Amino acid sequence: VSAGIAMFLFQIGSMLITMFGMNFAYFEFGYSAGGSFVFLFTVMYGLGTLLSQVAFPFITKKFTRQKQLGFFMIVLVIFYTLFFLIGIVVPKIPVVIYAIGFVIFFSQGIFNMNLIVMINNTIEYDEYKFNERHDSVISAVRSFAVKFGSAVNQGITNLVLILSGIYAISQNVSGLEVKAGSGEMTAEEVLVKADAILQTATRGQLIKLRLGMTLIPVLALGAALLILRKKYKIDEKEYNRIVKEISER
């Protein structure tokens, strides 16, 4: 149960930065440059996630799951803070943002891999405790956590955009895109007017957007780690003991 709840919280925390990414790009870099920024930021997401899967077996040989989770949680706090400070303390340079994003996605990838292992290890625990394997149930728990987390993410995203006032501005830009699609406006006119609309966002509104991208993920991931530390008891040593006892029955 604890691993399933942690997976749910992880899904909430890990995906918000990408869900807010399009709005962040447009408001920080303008309508014309925002698209290319989002594309490369998405590349960083794929690259960081892929490399985390490659690196995970090597990291696991050196460090326990709890040490990995603790270390990468610290990394995530640091780099989410750096992301929040872009344009304030950290230079608002795309390559710097891509690097920050890569570290965040890599760290979340390692976090996710550990969660998957922890959830899968409960299969042997059930067999040890109840003499039954519940592979399909455990798989369903993970699937439910992912889908429910995605649904909650959508709600959080919409709520933050509405409360910050970003949603109303984005809708105005969307209206321009509709007019361009119907031939009422040219692409050049849309670019000019969209940038003008985006520039109406206040610093306070943009700060609220960043809080949604950084503070909420840190709180959700931190809560997931806290639950695992307090409630999840199947560490490497205990898992090996359980597997050995099952094999000797």
Side-chain angles (χ1 to χ4, degrees):
V1 175
S2 58
I5 295 174
M7 176 61 79
F8 165 68
L9 291 170
F10 172 81
Q11 290 302 316
I12 293 176
S14 64
M15 295 306 297
L16 284 175
I17 190 170
T18 54
M19 296 183 75
F20 284 117
M22 182 72 75
N23 288 281
F24 173 83
Y26 282 157
F27 281 96
E28 295 293 341
F29 294 100
Y31 187 78
S32 57
S36 59
F37 174 87
V38 170
F39 172 75
L40 291 174
F41 196 68
T42 304
V43 170
M44 291 301 104
Y45 167 75
L47 188 61
T49 302
L50 178 62
L51 289 180
S52 70
Q53 295 173 359
V54 174
F56 179 68
F58 301 98
I59 296 175
T60 300
K61 290 180 181 179
K62 298 287 186 179
F63 305 100
T64 64
R65 286 190 291 275
Q66 290 292 353
K67 286 184 177 180
Q68 290 180 56
L69 292 172
F71 173 78
F72 284 104
M73 186 67 233
I74 293 172
V75 172
L76 286 168
V77 170
I78 292 172
F79 278 81
Y80 267 115
T81 301
L82 291 175
F83 194 96
F84 178 82
L85 294 174
I86 291 169
I88 302 172
V89 176
V90 179
K92 194 171 71 173
I93 303 172
V95 67
V96 173
I97 303 175
Y98 297 148
I100 292 173
F102 172 81
V103 175
I104 288 174
F105 297 134
F106 179 86
S107 301
Q108 289 181 167
I110 297 295
F111 202 115
N112 183 49
M113 293 300 294
N114 277 286
L115 272 174
I116 291 173
V117 171
M118 287 175 154
I119 289 177
N120 288 341
N121 284 355
T122 60
I123 295 174
E124 280 73 24
Y125 179 79
D126 278 356
E127 185 177 2
Y128 165 74
K129 201 79 172 177
F130 307 108
N131 291 316
E132 293 181 359
R133 292 180 65 87
H134 300 104
D135 302 58
S136 59
V137 175
I138 300 302
S139 177
V141 167
R142 179 170 177 264
S143 178
F144 175 77
V146 171
K147 292 178 180 178
F148 189 36
S150 297
V152 172
N153 266 343
Q154 191 61 57
I156 292 174
T157 302
N158 291 334
L159 183 62
V160 170
L161 292 177
I162 291 171
L163 293 179
S164 65
I166 294 295
Y167 181 80
I169 299 174
S170 298
Q171 287 300 103
N172 289 334
V173 175
S174 297
L176 295 177
E177 294 171 343
V178 172
K179 289 182 179 179
S182 63
E184 295 180 48
M185 296 178 67
T186 65
E188 291 75 15
E189 289 174 329
V190 170
L191 287 176
V192 173
K193 290 192 175 182
D195 280 334
I197 290 172
L198 292 172
Q199 289 172 10
T200 63
T202 65
R203 173 50 58 182
Q205 289 175 315
L206 297 179
I207 289 295
K208 290 174 183 177
L209 176 63
R210 291 195 188 195
L211 285 173
M213 296 180 73
T214 57
L215 180 59
I216 297 176
V218 167
L219 292 175
L221 293 169
L225 177 60
L226 182 63
I227 289 173
L228 291 173
R229 287 277 173 87
K230 295 292 185 180
K231 299 296 183 180
Y232 189 86
K233 305 301 181 183
I234 313 173
D235 58 13
E236 288 84 350
K237 184 177 179 180
E238 176 65 7
Y239 177 74
N240 290 333
R241 185 191 70 80
I242 289 173
V243 171
K244 182 180 179 181
E245 185 162 330
I246 290 173
S247 65
E248 292 174 351
R249 286 178 178 175

